[in-house]
């Protein structure tokens, strides 16, 4: 199905959630400049597209700073969606959709020095979300939304703090499972409503 066009140099949609068969939101970012490096002519800006069962349309989003992007989104209802990513390419970002417009929310960061981003989010209800991400591509962490604010939740780090990437999460009935990779190996953790714990996760055998 065709998506809406921004006239941008490069557009990426990296997350999608559908509350109904005729209500989907896809999020990502686009570059409007002509340079391959950050400059006044180069900006990563948020893009949101909405599917109504027939076609995609661009939805205005909130850019809190330059070099913003949304990576994951979760909708618990057509008018209740949360999207997460990063702002200024270094701090966590969360935005809330009420069916008409987006609003930025205050989030936490693991450390004020370094680079933090949220890469996945799951909202089993309008007042409960869990988002996961990484700090400096080496330390996984999670944030929990209770309907009013986001709070940091520590996660066990892989041995040696190996590089982590692609963290995603899915929640149901008060329990969440995070999945991603650490140093090229599968990484999963379970949230039981109180704390996270690592799960044994097999890798495919080496081909002969």
């Amino acid at each position: 199905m065709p998506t809406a066009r921004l006239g941008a140099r490069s557009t990426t949609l990296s997350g999608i959630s559908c509350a109904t068969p005729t209500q989907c939101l896809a999020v990502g970012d686009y570059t409007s400049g002509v340079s391959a490096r950050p400059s006044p002519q180069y900006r990563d800006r948020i893009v949101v597209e909405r599917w109504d069962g027939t076609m995609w349309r661009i939805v205005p989003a909130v850019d809190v700073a330059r070099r913003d992007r949304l990576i994951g989104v979760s909708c618990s209802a057509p008018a209740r969606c949360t999207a997460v990513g990063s702002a200024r390419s270094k701090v966590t970002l969360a935005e809330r959709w009420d069916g008409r417009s987006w609003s930025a929310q205050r989030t936490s960061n693991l450390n004020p020095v370094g680079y933090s981003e949220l890469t996945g989010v799951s909202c089993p209800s309008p007042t409960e979300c869990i988002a996961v991400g990484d700090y400096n591509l080496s330390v996984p962490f999670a944030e929990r939304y209770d309907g009013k604010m986001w709070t940091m939740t520590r996660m066990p780090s892989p041995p040696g703090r190996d590089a982590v990437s692609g963290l995603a999460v899915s929640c149901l009935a008060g329990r969440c499972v995070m999945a991603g990779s650490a140093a090229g190996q599968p990484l999963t953790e379970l949230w039981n409503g109180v704390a996270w714990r690592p799960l044994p996760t097999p890798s495919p055998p080496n081909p002969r």
Side-chain angles (χ1 to χ4, degrees):
M1 60 186 71
T3 55
R5 293 185 177 272
L6 292 167
R9 181 171 181 266
S10 176
T11 303
T12 300
L13 295 175
S14 53
I16 187 170
S17 182
C18 299
T20 71
T22 58
Q23 170 67 32
C24 299
L25 284 181
V27 301
D29 66 280
Y30 71 95
T31 301
S32 58
V34 297
S35 173
R37 297 180 180 180
S39 70
Q41 290 77 39
Y42 173 98
R43 291 190 66 181
D44 282 337
R45 304 188 65 180
I46 290 170
V47 59
V48 178
E49 300 196 18
R50 184 179 184 184
W51 171 253
D52 62 7
T54 302
M55 64 182 297
W56 289 95
R57 291 183 173 87
I58 301 292
V59 176
V62 178
D63 274 293
V64 298
R66 291 190 176 189
R67 304 187 70 188
D68 295 349
R69 65 173 182 155
L70 293 175
I71 305 171
V73 62
S74 179
C75 299
S76 57
R80 291 290 184 273
C81 300
T82 296
V84 298
S86 65
R88 304 194 304 276
S89 294
K90 66 176 297 182
V91 295
T92 56
L93 173 66
E95 298 196 10
R96 189 79 161 173
W97 168 255
D98 63 6
R100 294 184 178 181
S101 62
W102 289 92
S103 58
Q105 297 177 316
R106 175 175 291 184
T107 57
S108 301
N109 288 272
L110 192 62
N111 192 317
V113 178
Y115 296 88
S116 298
E117 68 176 357
L118 296 171
T119 56
V121 63
S122 182
C123 301
S125 76
T127 58
E128 182 181 4
C129 295
I130 292 285
V132 297
D134 65 81
Y135 169 71
N136 280 352
L137 295 174
S138 61
V139 182
F141 68 93
E143 298 199 24
R144 185 180 184 185
Y145 180 70
D146 61 5
K148 295 181 179 180
M149 61 184 297
W150 289 92
T151 54
M152 180 70 66
T153 303
R154 295 278 182 160
M155 306 180 81
S157 294
R161 293 195 172 185
D162 292 318
V164 298
S165 63
L167 302 187
V169 65
S170 182
C171 301
L172 184 65
R175 295 167 69 88
C176 303
V177 175
M178 179 274 287
S181 68
Q185 299 300 312
L187 172 68
T188 63
E189 297 188 15
L190 173 68
W191 167 257
N192 62 9
V194 178
W196 292 91
R197 66 177 177 87
L199 298 173
T201 312
S203 293
N206 291 325
R208 295 181 178 179

